[in-house]
Amino acid sequence: MILEFEKPIKDLEARISGLHRLAGSNEGLQEEISRLEAALEAAKRRIYTNLTPYQRVQVARHPERPGFRDYRDAIASDFYELSGDRLGADDPAVRGGLARVGGQPVVLLGHDKGDDVKTRVASNFGMAHPEGYRKAGRLYALAERLRVPIVALVDTPGAFAGRRAEEHGQAWAISADLMELARVPVPVVAVVIGEGGSGGALAMCLADHVAMLENSYLSVIAPEACASIIFRDAKRAAEAAEAMKITAGDLLAHGIVDEVLPEPLGGAHNEPEAATSAVDRAVSAALERFSHVEPETIVKARYERYRRIGAHLSAGEVGGAPAERSLEGVGE
């Protein structure tokens, strides 16, 4: 899949590949290849350092972007998957279980979009049903019983909004997850690795530390849906994305998230190993930071963090990221 704004890059790559096949020892062609490679690097920097919010949304949705399984394999060892909601069903759109991250036992879970046509259809493209969110709640409760941290990898367009999901209690399942995350006395670390759509994402990212990959987004509604409602025209999605402030940089500036993880030039789908390594380092650092914090302190800080989001500062008050303020002095 080639995104519209990637076409100049792909054209240069195709020309370079063709010349490599013809070049051999021809010095003239080798010089042309070097010139085109320099132009390719310049084009990548020009395009990817100036992406619009909607272009970042498109990168976040790229079908070749690394997903839950890629990050799971990169950051965790001894992963033991746990399935089912214990009420009669399983949802492959949410996967999770016990694992070790940096040698530390954790409960690891996330949205799974699949990696080919068959698995994408089976997982409903990462749009979970109530069974998936009840499975997540079961894993949160397990983490509390075992006193191990929770690591969540968020990548969903949103919870499935079909009639069957509503009949089976979609809203109730998500709200129960939010209640569980609000009170669970263990560290919760969340990383938005792609799409962060609405309550489907929030059910996994009410956390003590929230990181986002550079080209991910987090929003209460998709730009196309927002444009349809506000402008009565889904084609104005780019305009809506600009106004909604849904990119990682915007959310960091507003204190909604704590960290933006850089992606390789060209996006995570071009160099998956670099992206998975960045997430691995961020998760390990966050877990280490919370490793000596008392459970009561964690819960209190989490409460204060979310109470503070969106609040207006009085004259003389100092802002800053929520986690930095709520945990100020912890561990000293």
Side-chain angles (χ1 to χ4, degrees):
M1 176 181 173
I2 300 175
L3 301 174
E4 184 67 29
F5 61 85
E6 288 182 315
K7 287 183 178 179
I9 294 172
K10 299 303 178 182
D11 290 343
L12 283 170
E13 288 177 341
R15 290 172 62 186
I16 291 170
S17 178
L19 286 175
H20 271 300
R21 289 194 296 269
L22 297 172
S25 58
N26 187 311
E27 293 185 5
L29 286 180
Q30 291 293 348
E31 290 178 3
E32 178 65 9
I33 289 172
S34 297
R35 186 187 70 79
L36 288 175
E37 286 177 340
L40 174 62
E41 183 67 16
K44 282 185 176 181
R45 293 194 178 280
R46 182 182 70 255
I47 291 171
Y48 280 99
T49 56
N50 294 285
L51 292 179
T52 67
Y54 191 60
Q55 287 172 337
R56 293 193 187 279
V57 170
Q58 293 174 297
V59 175
R61 294 170 173 170
H62 199 290
E64 296 173 20
R65 191 174 177 86
F68 172 79
R69 302 180 198 192
D70 301 293
Y71 290 101
R72 175 199 64 192
D73 295 343
I75 74 175
S77 60
D78 299 328
F79 180 75
Y80 186 85
E81 185 166 1
L82 299 171
S83 301
D85 65 352
R86 294 300 182 265
L87 291 173
D90 183 51
D91 186 352
V94 173
R95 295 190 179 274
L98 299 170
R100 291 183 182 273
V101 174
Q104 180 176 359
V106 302
V107 164
L108 174 67
L109 73 157
H111 299 96
D112 187 1
K113 286 184 171 181
D115 50 17
D116 56 32
V117 173
K118 183 177 180 179
T119 56
R120 284 171 184 155
V121 171
S123 64
N124 199 31
F125 300 89
M127 294 182 290
H129 291 77
E131 295 82 3
Y133 290 107
R134 283 194 282 265
K135 181 201 295 187
R138 184 168 73 86
L139 292 171
Y140 300 154
L142 178 64
E144 179 178 2
R145 289 199 302 274
L146 298 179
R147 298 292 177 176
V148 298
I150 296 167
V151 177
L153 303 176
V154 179
D155 188 13
T156 179
F160 183 59
R163 177 175 176 174
R164 175 184 172 276
E166 297 301 330
E167 289 175 343
H168 287 210
Q170 184 74 287
W172 182 260
I174 290 174
S175 63
D177 283 353
L178 296 177
M179 288 294 292
E180 186 68 24
L181 283 178
R183 57 169 292 278
V184 66
V186 300
V188 183
V189 177
V191 184
V192 184
I193 58 175
E195 294 188 87
S198 194
L202 190 60
M204 287 191 193
C205 65
L206 196 160
D208 303 301
H209 184 88
V210 182
M212 292 181 68
L213 281 170
E214 181 182 358
N215 292 316
S216 60
Y217 77 91
L218 184 62
S219 172
V220 71
I221 191 172
E224 295 85 355
C226 177
S228 295
I229 294 169
I230 302 300
F231 304 129
R232 299 292 191 269
D233 183 1
K235 294 180 180 179
R236 295 176 66 179
E239 185 179 347
E242 181 74 39
M244 291 163 67
K245 307 301 181 187
I246 60 178
T247 66
D250 289 327
L251 294 166
L252 180 68
H254 286 86
I256 308 297
V257 303
D258 307 289
E259 184 179 11
V260 175
L261 309 180
E263 293 188 27
L265 198 62
H269 58 282
N270 280 313
E271 292 184 49
E273 296 82 4
T276 56
S277 295
V279 171
D280 186 16
R281 291 191 297 270
V283 170
S284 296
L287 291 175
E288 175 62 26
R289 180 183 173 214
F290 288 106
S291 61
H292 303 296
V293 183
E294 293 296 323
E296 296 80 6
T297 305
I298 288 174
V299 175
K300 181 181 179 182
R302 190 182 305 143
Y303 172 82
E304 293 175 351
R305 166 195 175 91
Y306 285 94
R307 288 287 295 176
R308 190 175 283 113
I309 289 176
H312 291 283
L313 295 177
S314 301
E317 281 191 286
V318 179
E324 292 174 356
R325 295 193 301 269
S326 59
L327 284 175
E328 185 176 354
V330 169
E332 294 181 354

